[in-house]
Amino acid sequence: MKNLCFFCLLFACVGFLSCKKNEDPKVGKANQVQAEKPISVQCYKALYEQDTIDLKMNTLKNGKISGDMVMKFFNMPKKVGKIAGEFRGDTLFASYTFIQGANEKITYKNPMAFLKRGNELILGNGKIQTTMGASYFVKGSPIDFERVKFKFITVDCEAK
């Protein structure tokens, strides 16, 4: 009987300790890590026939890249999202997370590769494979930066 009471008491204590306390929202926000400020911001635009891609790229202190990208393709819903990645040599490997059109319930994520040549970024074409819902470039398969549609030029960043 003593063992049963001991286990019940132990179980109750563990239950009380594992409950999350209600925190003051003001205190919770103060403890959150603030987003890192970029050391540089560069804006790009690419045009191909009636299609446009706008890219705002932030370079962070740790060398990582973040930013915003909007794709407007003729007769297609607009794609609006965030880009995150890093340079390996002169190539930026990034992940583009976006919503398409007015449907905010479904989020898509695609890998992207950009080759930097001078002030120009070239969006590469590569073989993409999807495994268990994650898309990535096929390892060992080259990314083509020659036969491409989109070459980005630097533009002035628009204030929002």
Side-chain angles (χ1 to χ4, degrees), residues 3-160:
N3 285 341
L4 181 61
C5 289
F6 177 73
F7 283 123
C8 289
L9 183 62
L10 181 64
F11 184 71
C13 289
V14 170
F16 285 127
L17 291 175
S18 66
C19 289
K20 184 177 180 183
K21 295 179 184 175
N22 290 334
E23 295 179 10
D24 183 11
K26 293 178 186 174
V27 174
K29 288 181 182 178
N31 290 335
Q32 290 178 351
V33 177
Q34 292 184 354
E36 186 178 341
K37 297 217 185 253
I39 57 173
S40 71
V41 177
Q42 184 66 55
C43 293
Y44 295 90
K45 182 181 274 303
L47 302 169
Y48 179 77
E49 295 174 355
Q50 296 179 0
D51 303 335
T52 305
I53 303 176
D54 292 303
L55 170 63
K56 182 177 181 181
M57 193 168 73
N58 305 311
T59 304
L60 306 176
K61 192 188 302 187
N62 62 3
K64 303 263 186 198
I65 301 294
S66 69
D68 302 307
M69 191 159 70
V70 177
M71 298 176 133
K72 299 175 199 164
F73 295 153
F74 183 68
N75 283 336
M76 297 277 296
K78 181 167 61 168
K79 298 176 183 178
V80 178
K82 302 278 184 192
I83 192 163
E86 64 183 327
F87 274 97
R88 289 187 221 141
D90 58 359
T91 306
L92 169 61
F93 289 95
S95 180
Y96 180 45
T97 305
F98 62 96
I99 59 169
Q100 189 166 335
N103 188 355
E104 295 183 7
K105 293 183 180 180
I106 300 175
T107 302
Y108 301 92
K109 190 171 186 175
N110 286 337
M112 301 188 100
F114 300 87
L115 178 65
K116 186 161 179 67
R117 282 191 190 150
N119 289 335
E120 187 177 63
L121 282 178
I122 302 166
L123 178 59
N125 297 317
K127 223 180 232 187
I128 295 177
Q129 182 176 353
T130 303
T131 304
M132 297 178 64
S135 298
Y136 54 91
F137 287 110
V138 175
K139 194 169 189 161
S141 181
I143 297 172
D144 180 20
F145 292 103
E146 297 302 320
R147 295 172 295 175
V148 296
K149 293 181 181 179
F150 295 103
K151 292 186 178 185
F152 291 80
I153 58 169
T154 56
V155 294
D156 291 333
C157 293
E158 295 177 15
K160 289 188 177 181

